[in-house]
Amino acid sequence: MEEGRMDGERGDGDLETLKPRLFPILYLTVCASIGGLVFGFYVGFIIARFGMLTNDNSILHETYKTGLVGAIVGAAAGGLTNDCVGRKSSILIADTLVFIGGVLLKLISFGDEYCLDSMGNTFIALGVGMASMTSPLYISEFSPPKLRDTFVSINFIFYGVGKLAFFFLYIDSVRTANHIIALAGIPALFQFCLMFSFPEPPMWLYKKDQEVDAIKALKNIYTCCEVGKEYDVFRLSIRREAAAEDEISYSGRNIFCRIRSALSSPSVRKQFVVGTALQIVQQLVGTNALIYCASSIRRMSGHGASNLKNDISFMKETLGESHGMSSIVSGFFCTLCLVAGYGKRKILCWSIYCMLAFAVCLSFMYIVSPNTTEFVSWSESTIHFKNNTCLSYLAAPDADSWDCLTCLGASTGCGFCRGTHNNILGQSSGACLDVEPNGTSQACSAKNRSWSTKKCEYNVFKLPVLMSYHYYAFFYSISLEIIPWIMNSQMYPTEVRGIYGGIAAVAYWTSFLIIILSSFFLTKIGGPLLVFLLISLFCFFASWLIKLFVPENVSFFISARAKKGY
């Protein structure tokens, strides 16, 4: 390949003529995506633990016990190790940390529980922080250009599987949660063994002057007869990358000098700001901000028990649907959209518009009908039904605040007899009655009213509120949960791609922690309505920022086109 072509416009034709070996690349992608599985497993652990919180002291305690701060440190360390020792080596280090953490948690029964609990979760968090940004980076640098987005999105299908797996295994206690998260060490050990058979990405090897190893690595991607052509394309791309970035000179072996040199380029600075901002926006409008509202939403649709904060099975089902299943389905859907040729910016824009619409709908429904189910009327219960009134209701000091779910959750001997008259919002009152031995209430049936011991009705926004919430989670998962990671794994210069991706991951984990803490207090102060209003506002600004600053196409190599369109 002639050197003179460097100054001309090199389209993607050079790469398009090459024939990638898809099966080996897919196998490599699946093996590297085990890091995404562990990532999702840990996020499920965090959501489950924080989703059960009841007071201010417990949230500070959980912040320490879950080792969430360790994920921030791990992401920062992962950025350094990716650029200094390599992508593959970083995955191996992450797997080692996760495995050590799992072993420590399994040793709880044989030692100081408090110490081992904290240490084990911290080690796992450190490894997950590294894996969260390393797995997509490794997959991206090994994938053919036209399939790069598709293969990286597979990592986030595994991410959704990891979250759902934790919710499926989670049972009923903090101790159980610790033993379940310890299982993350098994896939980490499995990946550690598999990764020994894979090389470092060819681009990283070439940058480290390991040309022979780079050629061997290329044989994992392209047929042998085309490796020489691909190697020439890589060499040309590297030179054009340097020429396009205002002749950045990455002098010296100090990583911080390379960071400073890269930031001297306006296009790199813009990429860095966009990539980091997207990770923050991902949390501001994400479903993690809604974990304390999820039970209220399902309760509004007439499902669940009254003591929602302690109803583990109810929360498990709720979080599993909104965080686990939604991520898996959306991951597949995002992959199909990328295969079909829809750009990342287009997916982001349309998804954020839909998220804004459903967030506004949820806010409206909570404004119009702030209560969740039919309330229990004292007169209905004590006058109309007299001796049939549930004793738990009569003895309750807060009987005036009871609703249908409170009645059903107060005692196995209480059931709800729905009223026949609705208020101006269409909401009815009813009576809390004793359950007869056969599970019915003859007194309720005699008045031709509906009787329930398991489920409450909600006759205003029963289905719309639940559908709006699930659609919001779907459009979030298809876009902002996946695409910022894809972009951060591609758009920086090779010399600093790891450290800049690490900084973006630090922004992700830091905002994750801040959102988890702040949403708890916001929900406690203003209820779900305040959270929905804030998210609606964030979605509005996010849609504006994405439209203005996110590029139509993110090139893998920094090229002259980046200056014009980015």
Side-chain angles (χ1 to χ4, degrees), residues 244-245 267 271 553 555 557-566:
E245 291 302 326
S267 61
Q271 290 165 347
N553 184 33
S555 299
F557 301 113
I558 310 299
S559 65
R561 286 177 296 178
K563 285 187 175 182
K564 300 174 184 177
Y566 198 51

Side-chain angles (χ1 to χ4, degrees), residues 272-480:
F272 172 70
V273 172
V274 170
T276 305
L278 277 176
Q279 295 285 36
I280 296 173
V281 169
Q282 182 186 47
Q283 292 302 310
L284 287 176
V285 301
T287 51
N288 292 333
L290 299 176
I291 61 173
Y292 305 108
C293 305
S295 58
S296 175
I297 292 170
R298 290 205 66 193
R299 192 183 187 202
M300 193 172 182
S301 65
H303 297 79
S306 62
N307 195 5
L308 297 177
K309 293 178 180 177
N310 296 319
D311 189 350
I312 303 294
S313 61
F314 172 77
M315 288 298 294
K316 172 183 170 180
E317 181 183 351
T318 301
L319 296 175
E321 287 180 3
S322 59
H323 287 75
M325 284 302 301
S326 178
S327 293
I328 296 173
V329 174
S330 301
F332 277 108
F333 200 82
C334 181
T335 302
L336 293 175
C337 289
L338 293 171
V339 169
Y342 290 97
K344 293 182 284 294
R345 182 175 182 269
K346 182 180 291 185
I347 297 174
L348 282 173
C349 286
W350 281 106
S351 296
I352 199 70
Y353 294 150
C354 293
M355 289 167 61
L356 175 59
F358 288 115
V360 170
C361 286
L362 286 167
S363 301
F364 172 77
M365 285 183 277
Y366 267 84
I367 290 173
V368 173
S369 187
N371 295 317
T372 55
T373 60
E374 305 96 327
F375 62 89
V376 177
S377 169
W378 180 268
S379 61
E380 287 268 340
S381 301
T382 59
I383 298 176
H384 287 73
F385 295 97
K386 298 180 181 179
N387 297 331
N388 299 105
T389 307
C390 183
L391 297 179
S392 297
Y393 173 69
L394 293 174
D398 59 343
D400 290 340
S401 63
W402 276 39
D403 60 13
C404 173
L405 289 174
T406 315
C407 174
L408 299 186
S411 169
T412 56
C414 291
F416 187 78
C417 182
R418 194 179 185 202
T420 57
H421 300 289
N422 300 334
N423 61 16
I424 191 172
L425 294 176
Q427 191 170 2
S428 66
S429 60
C432 189
L433 307 179
D434 281 322
V435 178
E436 296 177 2
N438 59 359
T440 62
S441 172
Q442 296 298 326
C444 183
S445 301
K447 294 183 179 293
N448 295 320
R449 298 188 181 190
S450 61
W451 168 255
S452 177
T453 58
K454 296 180 179 180
K455 184 178 178 181
C456 295
E457 295 292 333
Y458 190 80
N459 54 4
V460 181
F461 296 118
K462 179 179 179 179
L463 186 60
V465 69
L466 194 61
M467 294 301 295
S468 295
Y469 174 66
H470 283 303
Y471 278 126
Y472 184 92
F474 172 79
F475 283 108
Y476 165 75
S477 297
I478 200 178
S479 56
L480 280 166

